[in-house]
């Protein structure tokens, strides 16, 4: 068991550390809330012990932050006499138990062991359920979180855009979970994944006898999502012929099943997402402008991970906790060098790529902390530039910058210098591409 003790009193830290070691409990210590945050981002802990009164970031704020960031380990609060109201607040904010100074170390250890055991059991039971939280505290993510909070309270249609793997589905679920239809269903439909000829009946359902093979009535997704949220994923793949039908449904808030006449009211909240550039598609006539404006009431644009590398330590810590639960692994964290390497890695596959890198490292590492050498970032770059057959077999001997430069040249070559197309293929914005062309002094 590994715990983090956060207390500004040096003698409590050293005393408890010694006491814990007798109990075979591995204990890291932090002297204030800020250094605790840093340590929590870098290692996984089974429990956290937090002193309430500390200079800088106090215990209460630390507890709030822990829960807001999705840490689910038990928290025990350490308070002094006369802080009972604070103690109550701390329990409300998500602490699991408390001890009052001066406390009996024995009593603390018993509480700790019970809580960790109960929490492990709970994780075991919930193991299969993937409750992803939206992690990140970069300015961009904080802004997105506040838009989500506001949007969730209204019934406005939300359009989420961002590259593949940036977390569009996580955001969609978060909106649902914070909304007043959270007890209703969340129905995702992957527009791109359904054959065009089935899409209409999937969305709208049909009456018995509507067409050959319609042997009984079938409800469509719009109806199934009633009282909940309909998540139209990959909306950019919606065929033009269906776009006009969707538009009508969104405008009139009513629909009919295929082969039916009955007008069925739609009362599902609509969230749509795409990794395509809808504005561009509208210009080219591939996406209806009127539908675009209908969907684009609230817009959430998730920036690529490489443009918010401040999120990487928290995300990495979160992913390792999530995966070690699934893989029942004892890997607890990263070396500072590994975190630095991840922060400077040029992600093309965003958080999904980060998850893959970490999962691979967890399988291959021999140690309980993941180091740079376990990360294999180079092959991740070449993999995420999958279409890049032009890369020579000597790729391993070359630097990341060389790989990136080659990928850009190859993409520009394939698209005959068309920067928009090339940037789409590379999964970077056109602006980023142009600045890279300058940076690498690529002659066209
Ligand atoms: N901010 C985040 N916090 C926690 N997990 C995240 C975050 N962003 C992404 N993830 C994780 O990364 C993976 C990819 O996220 P998600 O499926 O939501 O991406 P997406 O934008 O829908 O990608 P695609 O366009 O390929 O469908 C998921 O496993 C998700 O849990
Ligand atoms: Mg998705």
């Amino acid at each position: 068991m590994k715990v983090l003790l956060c207390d500004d009193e040096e003698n409590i830290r050293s005393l408890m550390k010694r006491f814990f070691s007798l109990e075979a409990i591995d204990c890291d210590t932090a002297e204030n809330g800020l250094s605790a945050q840093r340590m929590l981002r870098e290692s996984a802990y089974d429990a956290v012990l937090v002193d309430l009164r500390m200079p800088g970031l106090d215990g209460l704020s630390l507890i709030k932050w822990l829960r807001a960031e999705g840490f689910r380990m038990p928290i025990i609060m350490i308070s002094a006499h006369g802080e009972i109201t604070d103690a109550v607040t701390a329990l409300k904010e998500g602490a699991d138990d408390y001890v009052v100074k001066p406390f009996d170390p024995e009593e603390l250890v018993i509480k700790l062991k019970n809580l960790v055991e109960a929490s492990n059991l709970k994780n075991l039971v919930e193991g299969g359920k993937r409750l992803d939280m939206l992690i990140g505290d970069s300015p961009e993510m904080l802004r997105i979180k506040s838009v989500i909070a506001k949007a969730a309270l209204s019934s406005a249609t939300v359009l989420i855009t961002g590259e593949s793997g940036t977390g569009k589905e996580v955001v969609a679920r978060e909106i649902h979970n914070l909304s007043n239809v959270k007890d209703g269903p969340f129905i995702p439909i992957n527009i791109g994944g359904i054959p065009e000829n089935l899409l209409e009946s999937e969305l709208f359902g049909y009456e018995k006898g509507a067409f050959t093979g319609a042997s009984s009535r079938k409800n469509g997704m719009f109806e199934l999502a009633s009282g909940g949220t309909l998540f139209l994923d990959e909306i950019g793949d919606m065929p033009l012929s269906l776009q006009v039908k969707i538009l009508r449904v969104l405008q009139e808030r009513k629909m009919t099943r295929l082969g039916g006449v009955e007008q069925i009211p739609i009362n599902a909240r609509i969230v749509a997402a795409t990794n395509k550039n809808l504005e561009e598609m509208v210009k080219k006539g591939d996406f209806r402008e009127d539908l675009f404006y209908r969907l684009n009431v609230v817009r959430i644009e998730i920036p690529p991970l490489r443009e918010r590398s401040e999120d990487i330590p928290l995300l990495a810590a979160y992913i390792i906790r999530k995966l070690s639960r699934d893989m029942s692994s004892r890997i607890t964290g990263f070396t500072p060098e590994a975190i630095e390497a991840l922060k400077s890695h040029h992600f093309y596959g965003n958080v999904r790529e980060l998850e893959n890198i970490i999962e691979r490292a967890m399988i291959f590492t021999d140690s309980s902390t993941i180091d740079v050498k376990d990360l294999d970032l180079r092959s991740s770059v070449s993999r995420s530039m999958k279409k890049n057959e032009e890369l020579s077999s000597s790729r391993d001997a070359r630097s990341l910058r060389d790989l990136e430069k080659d990928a850009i040249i190859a993409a520009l070559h394939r698209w005959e210098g068309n920067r928009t197309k090339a940037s789409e293929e590379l999964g970077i914005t056109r602006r980023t591409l142009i600045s890279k062309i300058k940076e690498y002094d690529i002659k066209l």
Side-chain angles (χ1 to χ4, degrees), residues 107-127:
E107 177 200 339
L108 178 58
V109 168
I110 292 171
K111 285 192 166 165
L112 183 63
K113 284 187 172 165
N114 285 340
L115 280 172
V116 170
E117 207 171 296
S119 150
N120 287 344
L121 201 67
K122 193 158 154 255
N123 287 339
L124 209 62
V125 174
E126 291 179 355

Side-chain angles (χ1 to χ4, degrees), residues 8-80:
D8 58 328
E9 280 180 65
E10 155 65 25
N11 58 342
I12 293 213
R13 291 201 303 272
S14 56
L15 189 93
M16 283 315 297
K17 202 171 162 69
R18 235 176 303 137
F19 193 84
F20 280 141
S21 77
L22 298 176
E23 297 281 332
I25 295 172
D26 197 5
C27 176
D28 285 351
T29 58
E31 68 287 347
N32 58 49
L34 287 176
S35 56
Q37 283 182 330
R38 188 162 31 76
M39 298 171 81
L40 284 155
R41 286 176 173 148
E42 283 164 12
S43 304
Y45 294 100
D46 296 297
V48 186
L49 311 164
V50 184
D51 183 24
L52 264 190
R53 292 251 185 279
M54 288 182 296
L57 188 77
D58 67 11
L60 210 55
S61 313
L62 180 62
I63 293 170
K64 269 195 206 165
W65 175 84
L66 273 161
R67 292 310 186 217
E69 288 304 330
F71 288 92
R72 307 211 292 183
M73 77 279 269
I75 302 174
I76 299 183
M77 183 191 42
I78 305 168
S79 68

Side-chain angles (χ1 to χ4, degrees), residues 147-211:
V147 176
I148 290 175
K150 285 191 203 117
L153 297 176
S154 77
S155 58
T157 302
V158 182
L159 176 64
I160 307 166
T161 52
E163 288 177 12
S164 187
T166 46
K168 295 185 291 296
E169 179 149 3
V170 183
V171 167
R173 287 181 189 274
E174 188 92 348
I175 293 170
H176 174 76
N177 290 336
L178 292 174
S179 74
N180 54 10
V181 293
K182 62 173 182 295
D183 297 323
F186 176 86
I187 307 281
I189 174 167
N190 184 339
I191 310 282
I194 295 175
E196 213 174 307
N197 56 336
L198 294 183
L199 195 53
E200 187 171 7
S201 63
E202 281 296 315
L203 284 167
F204 302 107
Y206 50 78
E207 297 291 348
K208 181 176 175 177
F211 45 84

Side-chain angles (χ1 to χ4, degrees), residues 189-196 198-204 221-222 230-247 249-250 270-276 278 281 285-288 291-292 295:
I189 174 167
N190 184 339
I191 310 282
I194 295 175
E196 213 174 307
L198 294 183
L199 195 53
E200 187 171 7
S201 63
E202 281 296 315
L203 284 167
F204 302 107
M221 298 290 191
F222 273 104
L230 179 64
F231 178 41
L232 299 170
D233 201 1
E234 299 188 27
I235 188 84
D237 292 338
M238 180 80 75
L240 270 169
S241 59
L242 266 180
Q243 288 180 18
V244 64
K245 286 199 92 171
I246 300 275
L247 175 69
V249 170
L250 296 185
I270 310 289
V271 177
T274 181
N275 56 21
K276 299 215 163 132
L278 284 188
M281 288 181 72
D286 294 332
F287 202 86
R288 292 183 64 105
L291 178 58
F292 171 71
L295 296 169

